Amino acid sequence: MATKTVSEINERIRDGSVSVLTAEEMTAYLQEHSAEEAVREVDVVTTGTFGAMCSSGVFLNFGHSDPPIRMQRVHLNDVEAYTSLAAVDAYIGATAERTSVPGESHEPYGGGHVIEDLIAGKEIDLHAESSGTDCYPRRMLDTRITIDDLNQAVMVNPRNAYQRYDAATNSTKRVLYTYMGTLLPEFGNVTYSGAGVLSPLSNDPTFRTIGTGTRIFLGGAQGYVIGSGTQHDPDNRFGTMMTCGDLREMDAKYVRGAAFHKYGISMYVGVGVPIPILDEEIAAATGVSDSDLTTEIVDYGIPRRSHPMVREVTYEELRSGIVDIDGKEVRTSSLSSFNLARAIADELKRWIGAGEFFVSAPASGLPVRGRVKPMRETAGQLLVQDAMSGEVRTINMHAKIRHAAELIIEGYFNHLPVLSEDGTLIGIVTSWDISRAVARGDVGTVESVMSKNVVTSTPDEFVELAVRKMEKHKISALPVIDQGRRVIGMVTSGDLNKLLVRR
Amino acid sequence: MKMVIHISAMVQDPVIAKVILDTGVAINVDRANIDATSGEIVLEVPADSCARVAHAFEREGASVSVLEHPIIRDDAECVHCGACISVCPVQVFSFVDDWSVAMDESKCIQCGTCVTACPHAALRVMSE
């Protein structure tokens, strides 16, 4: 069995004889050649990915002012950084949002944008506050800094380069604005993320060459893998890695602030991992193609921890632009950039070919076993059944409007569920609907004035979700129904308020 | 060709209908915002009838401008992710061979969905 070592490869990088292919080129190569030939002929395979990586940020050291300050609150261009560190250290997280001034509207701007602007060499407003101590007497500081004024600017990203990611769609009748982008109603589109054939962790899924100390491409500079990323979940092929690199060497082309409409701020980060082809097993793994890589399309219309799966899908289908959902052709959008993922794999290939980048053996590989745990919640979640009123008056769709008015007045309530002949929920009338009908002299049946699109709840729905439903639809009550669409209660915003206050 | 019509004071008049009857040109209304006192209408007009249609609207008292670029992309901001592709109802955006995003702006109806869908604030709908 053909093998070679990291130092043999680095010797070839040094003398200029190294042979490098991108992961895309390697996939094509392995269709014509065996893994054994690959080990002899190919030394390094370069990967790349460029997408939203929220779990990213930068440690900054500003140097000491005179008189000195122990920075307890720091804002960079009005974006707050974390300061529970030493006096002039801070960590700016990618998703921190600019503190908004009431009445002023701003372009979305946050931590990711501050980091991009730092790399681009722009001047940044630094505002710091402190309560003052004997050794750090200063209480307030305002200045302008650039990246060159900092002692250190070290990007440390707790979670980057997911091996793959769930694709998103939306079964509801409303547009959803999510961190997976704009999701059109009724399965109107699918969004996905990930570089497929170029994905770093998918090209070495057993992490033979990727782990603590692996030298990588990070944001246009040479960076390192620290270890597995947060939520590393190799059992489910959702591996992640934690990375670091010197921000001062990075290129703003590969680190971009981003904003997802009605969601918030993120940052696009470019990551590329070189895979040294040490043996046939490693070589064979880099032959992976988009058609081998599967993920799931999940329904973001169900706002729960686990979004229900709609179907399994390959990256080949996602990247074709159209996927089939129940016989309907649905268009796809990528949120990560394959164009830039390829640029990263190409750039890394150039660096290695030019003798500027040497591969490294990890001190220890990323864990190959393990999974993500859900949160332990001790308080228990309130359910609609805890808040609903079980005594609910209803009315038949054929009843006269006058009858509805009488019921509402007798019962001192505003919402009257309307039932069809078989006793199932078919509509709702409010005291407003009835007043309007009376004002118009309308003497018809309830059916003619009811709203047919009733927003409903179920007894086992989380109260939080019911509240959000009412806010979104701008309504103040939800009929609670069972599986047969029979009305078993009513929950109002007043009931929910009382319940939440009591806690 | 895209044309923006501004009307004021004559929001009650069937201006578009009059122009269509006048010129006999098949005009497609992409977007119309009309309130009590003024209106802005974006039309798709066949290129060879543009001058005639513009003239007819001006005769009705409307002001007319030709929209050369209904949608503008800031190429310094665009990362060619493709977030815009599936949300566009008229398929202005598509991936080309090198996986960059190409734009056929002539199809744009200025709905603005791509503007909010773009994570990099690279797209802007032009009003003039």
Side-chain angles (χ1 to χ4, degrees):
Chain A
M1 188 163 144
T3 60
K4 70 174 103 96
T5 65
V6 164
S7 28
E8 280 165 7
I9 293 172
N10 281 338
E11 199 44 54
R12 287 179 200 172
I13 295 176
R14 212 164 280 122
D15 71 21
S17 66
V18 70
S19 147
V20 190
L21 294 183
T22 68
E24 251 184 314
E25 293 163 345
M26 185 65 161
T27 299
Y29 174 92
L30 282 170
Q31 276 156 13
E32 310 278 314
H33 303 84
S34 68
E36 196 196 345
E37 286 172 281
V39 178
R40 281 200 305 270
E41 292 177 16
V42 182
D43 298 317
V44 186
V45 167
T46 60
T47 63
T49 187
F50 184 79
M53 303 195 193
C54 289
S55 215
S56 298
V58 178
F59 282 105
L60 304 165
N61 179 281
F62 300 106
H64 286 286
S65 60
D66 192 21
I69 183 169
R70 174 176 171 244
M71 298 172 153
Q72 286 173 300
R73 286 195 74 180
V74 162
H75 284 84
L76 295 157
N77 283 353
D78 295 328
V79 180
E80 185 157 19
Y82 177 82
T83 54
S84 298
L85 300 164
V88 290
D89 282 333
Y91 181 79
I92 175 110
T95 66
E97 219 150 310
R98 166 163 49 194
T99 315
S100 62
V101 182
E104 273 182 47
S105 74
H106 287 296
E107 293 275 294
Y109 187 90
H113 300 93
V114 172
I115 294 166
E116 178 184 341
D117 285 347
L118 277 169
I119 298 172
K122 291 185 185 165
E123 254 191 354
I124 307 286
D125 286 330
L126 167 63
H127 172 77
E129 288 167 30
S130 171
S131 51
T133 69
D134 287 344
C135 44
Y136 291 107
R138 194 147 172 191
R139 293 192 169 172
M140 183 89 88
L141 180 143
D142 279 285
T143 182
R144 293 177 70 77
I145 50 133
T146 70
I147 195 167
D148 296 330
D149 301 317
L150 301 172
N151 288 310
Q152 281 79 26
V154 184
M155 180 178 277
V156 176
N157 300 342
R159 176 165 79 252
N160 279 173
Y162 253 119
Q163 191 169 358
R164 63 186 178 120
Y165 209 80
D166 285 338
T169 191
N170 169 17
S171 64
T172 71
K173 291 191 163 73
R174 302 172 67 87
V175 179
L176 297 178
Y177 298 100
T178 72
Y179 66 86
M180 288 300 286
T182 302
L183 299 175
L184 303 176
E186 302 186 67
F187 304 105
N189 66 340
V190 167
T191 62
Y192 68 96
S193 193
V197 62
L198 283 173
S199 160
L201 294 180
S202 289
N203 275 277
D204 180 10
T206 54
F207 317 130
R208 295 270 318 278
T209 71
I210 305 175
T212 302
T214 302
R215 190 177 293 115
I216 58 169
F217 174 111
L218 182 65
Q222 296 192 18
Y224 295 90
V225 175
I226 297 172
S228 55
T230 53
Q231 289 181 28
H232 180 61
D233 186 357
D235 287 0
N236 294 303
R237 292 184 296 120
F238 282 107
T240 72
M241 57 198 203
M242 196 176 286
T243 63
C244 70
D246 190 340
L247 196 74
R248 291 175 300 188
E249 292 166 10
M250 291 186 188
D251 181 343
K253 177 181 174 188
Y254 297 112
V255 181
R256 301 283 191 91
F260 288 94
H261 187 59
K262 295 189 179 176
Y263 171 76
I265 305 295
S266 185
M267 186 166 77
Y268 277 50
V269 181
V271 179
V273 176
I275 296 170
I277 303 302
L278 305 178
D279 60 37
E280 288 168 35
E281 185 198 49
I282 294 172
T286 58
V288 73
S289 68
D290 285 331
S291 57
D292 304 322
L293 291 170
T294 57
T295 191
E296 290 173 3
I297 300 176
V298 301
D299 180 6
Y300 274 61
I302 310 295
R304 297 291 298 273
R305 177 170 56 221
S306 296
H307 302 295
M309 178 172 75
V310 174
R311 58 162 288 199
E312 222 184 31
V313 68
T314 66
Y315 272 87
E316 184 180 35
E317 291 170 278
L318 290 169
R319 290 184 59 209
S320 75
I322 286 179
V323 296
D324 183 291
I325 295 181
D326 290 334
K328 179 181 168 191
E329 287 196 340
V330 179
R331 290 200 297 145
T332 65
S333 265
S334 169
L335 297 175
S336 52
S337 169
F338 193 79
N339 179 273
L340 275 162
R342 196 186 256 174
I344 288 161
D346 284 342
E347 179 96 20
L348 189 49
K349 177 180 169 179
R350 248 190 323 275
W351 289 355
I352 296 168
E356 295 164 6
F357 185 108
F358 292 88
V359 292
S360 58
S364 83
L366 301 182
V368 293
R369 296 241 66 93
R371 53 174 58 225
V372 172
K373 286 187 289 197
M375 182 178 283
R376 175 183 180 221
E377 286 186 85
T378 51
Q381 287 270 332
L382 287 173
L383 302 179
V384 164
Q385 66 195 22
D386 304 323
M388 74 181 193
S389 142
E391 284 172 34
V392 54
R393 302 297 295 268
T394 57
I395 192 164
N396 185 279
M397 60 194 279
H398 301 305
K400 292 271 182 245
I401 289 169
R402 187 185 162 78
H403 181 48
E406 284 162 5
L407 277 180
I408 285 177
I409 289 164
E410 275 169 30
Y412 297 103
F413 49 78
N414 284 316
H415 300 81
L416 195 52
V418 182
L419 306 184
S420 64
E421 288 300 326
D422 62 1
T424 60
L425 181 70
I426 191 174
I428 191 163
V429 288
T430 62
S431 44
W432 159 256
D433 296 325
I434 299 299
S435 307
R436 192 179 44 185
V438 169
R440 284 179 182 165
D442 196 338
V443 292
T445 62
V446 168
E447 187 185 7
S448 63
V449 294
M450 71 185 187
S451 306
K452 290 197 186 80
N453 293 324
V454 197
V455 185
T456 60
S457 181
T458 53
D460 60 353
E461 184 169 46
F462 289 130
V463 161
E464 292 266 357
L465 299 182
V467 169
R468 194 167 166 76
K469 220 183 237 180
M470 286 193 230
E471 283 170 357
K472 263 191 135 171
H473 293 270
K474 298 192 173 66
I475 53 179
S476 57
L478 302 170
V480 183
I481 56 171
D482 65 11
Q483 289 181 338
R485 271 193 89 73
R486 276 168 208 285
V487 180
I488 55 176
M490 195 78 179
V491 64
T492 67
S493 52
D495 296 338
L496 296 181
N497 277 335
K498 267 184 256 162
L499 191 73
L500 293 172
V501 166
R502 223 172 36 229
R503 276 166 62 102
Chain B
M1 215 145 192
K2 302 284 174 199
M3 200 178 267
V4 188
I5 312 296
H6 287 279
I7 58 172
S8 54
M10 65 286 195
V11 290
Q12 302 290 333
D13 297 350
V15 177
I16 302 174
K18 278 193 200 163
V19 169
I20 292 171
L21 290 172
D22 250 29
T23 58
V25 175
I27 291 168
N28 196 18
V29 180
D30 281 349
R31 200 161 56 84
N33 280 321
I34 298 167
D35 60 26
T37 56
S38 66
E40 187 189 89
I41 302 154
V42 179
L43 303 173
E44 172 69 34
V45 183
D48 54 356
S49 321
C50 249
R52 218 145 45 86
V53 170
H55 192 65
F57 272 109
E58 279 159 0
R59 250 196 333 261
E60 296 294 329
S63 70
V64 178
S65 46
V66 169
L67 205 56
E68 305 253 1
H69 304 286
I71 182 95
I72 297 270
R73 178 168 74 189
D74 182 343
D75 287 328
E77 292 298 332
C78 176
V79 301
H80 301 281
C81 60
C84 48
I85 292 176
S86 72
V87 298
C88 174
V90 290
Q91 301 181 33
V92 166
F93 307 97
S94 58
F95 279 128
V96 291
D97 286 349
D98 68 349
W99 291 91
S100 62
V101 174
M103 243 169 80
D104 179 356
E105 56 186 357
S106 69
K107 291 179 180 169
C108 176
I109 56 168
Q110 296 197 308
C111 66
T113 312
C114 61
V115 175
T116 52
C118 175
H120 297 274
L123 293 166
R124 207 149 39 99
V125 165
M126 299 303 285
S127 53
E128 292 298 329

